Amino acid sequence: MVILIRYGEIHLKGLNRPQFERRLKDNIKIVLKEFKGINIKRINGRFILFGFDENYIDDISEKLKNVFGIHSFSIALETDKDYENVKKESLRMFWDAVNKAGAKTFKVAAKRSDKSYKFDTMELIRELGGYLFENTNGISVDVKNPDITLNVEIREMAYIYTDIILCRGGLPVGCNGKAALLLSGGIDSPVSGYMTMKRGVLIECIHFYSFPYTGELAKQKVIDLCKILSGFGGGIRLHIVPFTEIQKEIFEKCPNSELTIIMRRFMMKIADRIAAANECSALITGESIGQVASQTLESLNCTNTVTNLPVIRPVICFDKQEIIEIAKDIDTFETSILPYEDCCTVFTPKRPVTHPNLERIVNSEQVLDTETLIKSAVENTEMIVVKG
């Protein structure tokens, strides 16, 4: 038994394709490192996974579903291309599938990358379909809507399978650089991290921690979210920034209505420095236009001006329900809604400004010792590596 792994978008990468294939292979190894004996080989347009303990095939399958870059995979029988062996193994795979599914109809599908094979594709389908029909009772052929499709791929070897398990697609994490995700602990930012990782970007997470106003359970919540995200691309480095003193200074010295936007500007300034120190090429946030006061277009413009890095906002035009549906799909939703406050809910103004004037905001910040506050926060940041 082997696992036949297919990738989609990587096929379009031209001369850079080997680089993407190597990255995908490495990521598969990382995600499956707990399973002993696994080997991976590349054939034309596929990876073959072999050498694993078949008792763990369900666990391996669950891990593979979340590896970005994999379009789909199949659990397959591998045999040499001798047609008698292909027939024998096809019948064995066929009966296993029939008994499992209680199927009444079937068809055969074939792919033939080896053009020297004794049958062309249509001949192989006819020959093998006739053989299976002759050696089964009560199973009829239905080429339009069969209960079972027996697939045969003729490559360096022959691969026989019935199920195609769809995965998340995208590009292998790490093939498109690295970015820093501002991870709040809410619903939106983990979804933004997931969506950016799907485009091949490795992420580092930055969380602003306001102890004692936010406690250890809030911190653990963010660690748990990182664990979930790490299942899509290996370990994630989490930077936990002490933010209490900054929030106190803003609360005491700045206009109440401007607290949130000034706080967001400090977050972006700190994230910018952490990103630069860790070779990140962009920042990622979970902001969505108009969702809260700090996410109007004017507010976003005020936060953008404090960083020279690109700011990726994957959910910028999503409504809340769309974001929630993705969060449920990637299993972050239940963790995100745990009732532990994050720093964004501390010192919340009663009437936050929704259309801030940049010049006025900059002027309000003049009373703060910005450089000292930022330097202290960065120097006292805790970094931990989170693995799924």
Side-chain angles (χ1 to χ4, degrees):
M1 194 74 71
V2 300
I3 298 178
L4 187 69
I5 297 174
R6 307 172 192 86
Y7 40 90
E9 194 172 344
I10 292 176
H11 286 292
L12 307 176
K13 296 304 175 183
L15 296 177
N16 291 322
R17 178 171 159 180
Q19 171 190 340
F20 285 81
E21 290 174 333
R22 285 192 297 271
R23 176 65 69 171
L24 177 56
K25 183 178 180 180
D26 290 343
N27 289 353
I28 292 171
K29 287 180 177 179
I30 291 170
V31 169
L32 299 181
K33 64 181 181 299
E34 66 188 89
F35 303 101
K36 305 300 181 184
I38 287 183
N39 289 289
I40 306 174
K41 65 180 179 181
R42 189 184 70 81
I43 59 177
N44 185 28
R46 301 280 191 272
F47 282 117
I48 304 296
L49 204 67
F50 62 99
F52 50 84
D53 185 337
E54 293 183 16
N55 291 318
Y56 296 104
I57 199 161
D58 290 340
D59 296 325
I60 292 170
S61 296
E62 287 303 310
K63 296 278 189 179
L64 287 176
K65 288 177 184 177
N66 288 330
V67 177
F68 289 131
I70 299 178
H71 176 265
S72 66
F73 65 87
S74 295
I75 299 165
L77 292 173
E78 181 185 64
T79 185
D80 63 65
K81 294 181 288 188
D82 179 81
Y83 182 58
E84 293 303 314
N85 286 333
V86 171
K87 289 198 302 183
K88 181 179 70 175
E89 295 301 328
S90 294
L91 187 60
R92 181 158 72 95
M93 172 67 81
F94 181 74
W95 271 119
D96 286 346
V98 167
N99 292 332
K100 183 178 179 180
K104 299 297 182 182
T105 60
F106 81 98
K107 77 171 184 178
V108 173
K111 294 181 180 179
R112 185 180 58 100
S113 62
D114 178 3
K115 302 306 180 184
S116 66
Y117 195 61
K118 64 180 293 184
F119 299 122
D120 66 28
T121 302
M122 293 307 300
E123 288 172 339
L124 180 59
I125 291 172
R126 286 195 299 269
E127 291 289 329
L128 197 53
Y131 173 78
L132 294 176
F133 181 75
E134 291 170 1
N135 286 273
T136 56
N137 294 318
I139 308 294
S140 59
V141 175
D142 183 346
V143 297
K144 292 186 177 180
N145 190 31
D147 296 329
I148 290 176
T149 298
L150 184 92
N151 297 272
V152 179
E153 293 191 19
I154 304 297
R155 298 177 176 275
E156 293 87 344
M157 301 285 283
Y159 299 95
I160 304 159
Y161 55 91
T162 56
D163 296 322
I164 298 175
I165 300 165
L166 294 178
C167 302
R168 296 191 180 272
L171 293 170
V173 172
C175 69
N176 276 328
K178 184 165 60 170
L181 168 67
L182 281 70
L183 184 63
S184 68
I187 297 170
D188 305 338
S189 55
V191 170
S192 288
Y194 162 83
M195 294 175 70
T196 307
M197 292 172 73
K198 189 172 181 178
R199 299 312 305 154
V201 178
L202 183 67
I203 66 169
E204 300 218 4
C205 293
I206 302 172
H207 176 67
F208 295 90
Y209 183 51
S210 295
F211 183 83
Y213 301 102
T214 58
E216 286 297 319
L217 290 175
K219 182 178 178 180
Q220 185 59 49
K221 174 182 175 180
V222 171
I223 292 172
D224 291 341
L225 288 171
C226 281
K227 286 181 180 179
I228 296 170
L229 290 176
S230 71
F232 299 104
I236 289 176
R237 301 204 316 173
L238 171 62
H239 304 264
I240 301 174
V241 181
F243 203 56
T244 309
E245 291 306 312
I246 292 175
Q247 288 185 288
K248 284 182 177 179
E249 284 286 300
I250 297 171
F251 181 75
E252 292 171 1
K253 297 179 180 179
C254 296
N256 184 268
S257 64
E258 297 175 356
L259 297 183
T260 301
I261 192 66
I262 294 174
M263 180 185 72
R264 290 294 298 174
R265 281 166 59 85
F266 266 85
M267 287 180 173
M268 297 294 275
K269 291 173 184 178
I270 293 168
D272 187 273
R273 296 199 186 185
I274 294 173
N278 291 276
E279 300 180 331
C280 295
S281 301
L283 302 179
I284 311 162
T285 77
E287 292 162 313
S288 172
I289 294 174
Q291 188 175 120
V292 293
S294 64
Q295 296 176 19
T296 63
L297 290 180
E298 294 89 343
S299 295
L300 295 175
N301 179 58
C302 279
T303 58
N304 278 357
T305 60
V306 300
T307 178
N308 291 318
L309 290 176
V311 182
I312 301 170
R313 295 181 170 99
V315 299
I316 190 70
C317 292
F318 286 29
D319 67 34
K320 196 66 177 184
Q321 192 57 44
E322 290 173 315
I323 299 170
I324 287 172
E325 290 304 315
I326 298 174
K328 288 180 177 178
D329 177 56
I330 65 176
D331 293 329
T332 57
F333 180 73
E334 294 299 328
T335 302
S336 291
I337 63 173
L338 290 173
Y340 310 129
E341 288 189 323
D342 60 41
C343 71
C344 294
T345 59
V346 178
F347 305 119
T348 303
K350 292 182 179 179
R351 292 184 178 86
V353 61
T354 56
H355 303 288
N357 177 275
L358 178 58
E359 183 178 353
R360 188 175 303 153
I361 295 295
V362 172
N363 185 62
S364 296
E365 292 174 345
Q366 298 306 308
V367 298
L368 303 171
D369 188 353
T370 300
E371 181 57 33
T372 299
L373 290 169
I374 291 175
K375 183 178 179 181
S376 176
V378 172
E379 288 178 350
N380 289 285
T381 292
E382 175 190 6
M383 194 280 288
I384 59 176
V385 177
V386 181
K387 298 180 180 179

